[in-house]
Amino acid sequence: MPQHGTADRRPWIAVVQGFIGSTMILFGSFGVGWIANGSPMVRNPMVIVLRTEGAGVLISTTLLTLGAMLLLRSWLRLGQHLRNWEAGSLGTVVAAVAAWGAPLFVAVPIFSRDVYAYAGQGRLMAEGLNPYTTGISALSNWFMLGTDPSWAENRTPYGPLFLWLSRGVVAVTGGQPDISVLFFRGLACVGVVLCVIYVPKLAALHGVDGARALWISVANPLFLISFIASAHNDALMLGLAVAGTYFAATRRGLLGVVLVTASIAVKPITIVLLPFIGLLWAGTSAGWGRRFLFWAGTGSLSLLLLWLMGIAHQLGLGWTWALTDTTPGYTGYSPSGFGGQMVELAANAVGLDGLAVSEGFRTVLTAVSILIAAWLVLFGDRSKVVRRMGLAFAAVVLLAPIIQPWYILWFLPFLAVTGMRNNWQIKACYVAVAFFVVFGAQDQLFVWNFVQLPVQTRVLSTAVALAGVVYLLVLDVHTRKLLNSRESDFAPVTLR
């Protein structure tokens, strides 16, 4: 322990280590990140070596994966160093977010290449085409701009506000892929900044330490990689939702509705939050009549704003398809996906149609998630509306057939600001973040087909990541305490 009256500088060691980890990710991304075929970077001699020589690809894979694991460890160690959450902790966490995010801002897109689809949808808008009815394959030379072929015929699932923002990016950049990525990262960072500002404020309303809430929800490596390096528009969606929730919780309901509606207009999934915004606007003492009145007012105002956003370019309410049409398939690690597989095997074993039974199982889980969300809207502690909101959002996400790694970030801030205890709750957060960081590192690596490798990059990345996990769980005398002890290495958290 530091001497009385002296500053504990150990948190800054974790900040520096995290910066090193992010820088490793940056350099690794040039070898195995997603670069558009039409990018000038593909003609850079160093990039050519990293992407066409076996040694370059393997070194890049190792750097990226090790960097992600070092960033994960730095996040865990920062939380341990700041376990008492004393004065100055918030500044340290904000500094960590900035230091760890800076290298990722200029990295080649990793873990996902959706950002290139954003540019393609902006081009559709620029050419007078409707992204709600037309796929990116309608564009000339679309494949050279980095878009995943799975987007070729797909309608966009995004809201009208984000389509107009995409149109603006294309207008400024001319559709040049590398510059467009930086602009979309700028939009994502608006969401990151909104979270940095309003997560601590929202936590303070619930008697929770803002620095700890920010460390859990924003400083974690999955958030930084997904929302800065990958430039997912979910960052802007979430930032607007968190800010809107704060204003609604502080009796500025009109502004809250406008901001959450803007969030819906980026990505419609946050429509789940709208009834809770109505509850916050109505106030904790509202009776059923007042609640229904404010629900009606909230829904009508939000729908009006969304309709107005869709008038130009004749977008209308085309975004609603993303809520009414189910995306086919499932992810094997989701409860719905894995559970459905087990149900299918069991049904086949007794002579039933396993596929039909598993589809019915997933449909039931989706219906259950909607019922849970509806129950939480109607019932519960009136002083814990934001907590109920976070739980409802979590139910909708976790019981869906498809869970992308960054989906857990949608509800994590709402749980963090209302209090995550130092028991199974924070440990579940560690496990989820670590799992998706490891999964993302090996799942989205780009390698040319003609490159000869002694070992597949996915195998190498998985091996490096698992070795990192073993180190954190078994060998590291500091981080192994986090899961192996009955309580984590933090001071108790007081919740109201």
Side-chain angles (χ1 to χ4, degrees), residues 289-305:
R290 182 177 172 86
R291 290 185 221 174
F292 278 105
L293 177 64
F294 275 81
W295 279 329
T298 297
S300 299
L301 175 59
S302 184
L303 184 61
L304 175 62
L305 292 173

Side-chain angles (χ1 to χ4, degrees), residues 220-467:
N220 77 71
L222 182 63
F223 185 100
L224 296 173
I225 293 172
S226 299
F227 288 173
I228 299 180
S230 300
H232 281 296
N233 60 1
D234 305 61
L236 182 58
M237 173 200 80
L238 183 60
L240 290 167
V242 169
T245 301
Y246 170 75
F247 285 111
T250 52
R251 305 307 299 272
R252 286 168 283 185
L254 184 60
L255 180 55
V257 172
V258 170
L259 287 171
V260 173
T261 300
S263 173
I264 296 168
V266 172
K267 203 164 185 177
I269 187 62
T270 46
I271 200 168
V272 173
L273 309 182
L274 207 54
F276 296 97
I277 299 300
L279 284 176
L280 291 171
W281 193 6
T284 56
S285 61
W288 283 108
R290 182 177 172 86
R291 290 185 221 174
F292 278 105
L293 177 64
F294 275 81
W295 279 329
T298 297
S300 299
L301 175 59
S302 184
L303 184 61
L304 175 62
L305 292 173
L306 290 166
W307 177 73
L308 290 174
M309 291 182 208
I311 289 179
H313 207 79
Q314 297 182 334
L315 294 174
L317 297 176
W319 54 270
T320 55
W321 82 266
L323 298 174
T324 56
D325 289 5
T326 57
T327 303
Y330 59 87
T331 49
Y333 50 75
S334 69
S336 177
F338 180 77
Q341 289 176 315
M342 297 301 99
V343 167
E344 182 175 356
L345 289 174
N348 287 333
V350 297
L352 299 176
D353 184 346
L355 182 60
V357 173
S358 65
E359 289 177 350
F361 172 79
R362 295 188 181 100
T363 300
V364 167
L365 283 190
T366 300
V368 168
S369 73
I370 295 172
L371 290 175
I372 292 173
W375 176 270
L376 289 165
V377 168
L378 295 171
F379 306 105
D381 191 329
R382 296 185 183 185
S383 66
K384 296 181 179 180
V385 174
V386 176
R387 184 69 170 189
R388 289 155 55 190
M389 174 194 293
L391 293 173
F393 212 177
V396 170
V397 171
L398 296 178
L399 295 181
I402 296 177
I403 303 176
Q404 297 292 0
W406 58 93
Y407 285 9
I408 67 168
L409 302 171
W410 294 351
F411 60 82
L412 186 57
F414 300 105
L415 299 183
V417 301
T418 53
M420 294 183 66
R421 297 186 182 277
N422 289 325
N423 50 20
W424 66 269
Q425 295 179 2
I426 193 65
K427 292 178 182 181
C429 179
Y430 298 152
V431 171
V433 169
F435 172 80
F436 284 119
V437 168
V438 170
F439 176 83
Q442 57 81 35
D443 182 58
Q444 291 280 338
L445 299 175
F446 172 83
V447 182
W448 292 111
N449 292 331
F450 61 80
V451 178
Q452 299 295 318
L453 298 172
V455 59
Q456 292 183 349
T457 53
R458 174 171 289 190
V459 173
L460 174 61
S461 178
T462 300
V464 172
L466 290 179

Side-chain angles (χ1 to χ4, degrees), residues 30-31 40-53 56:
F30 286 104
M41 275 198 292
V42 298
R43 297 188 292 275
N44 181 282
M46 182 58 70
V47 172
I48 290 173
V49 170
L50 291 175
R51 298 177 81 82
T52 61
E53 299 290 338

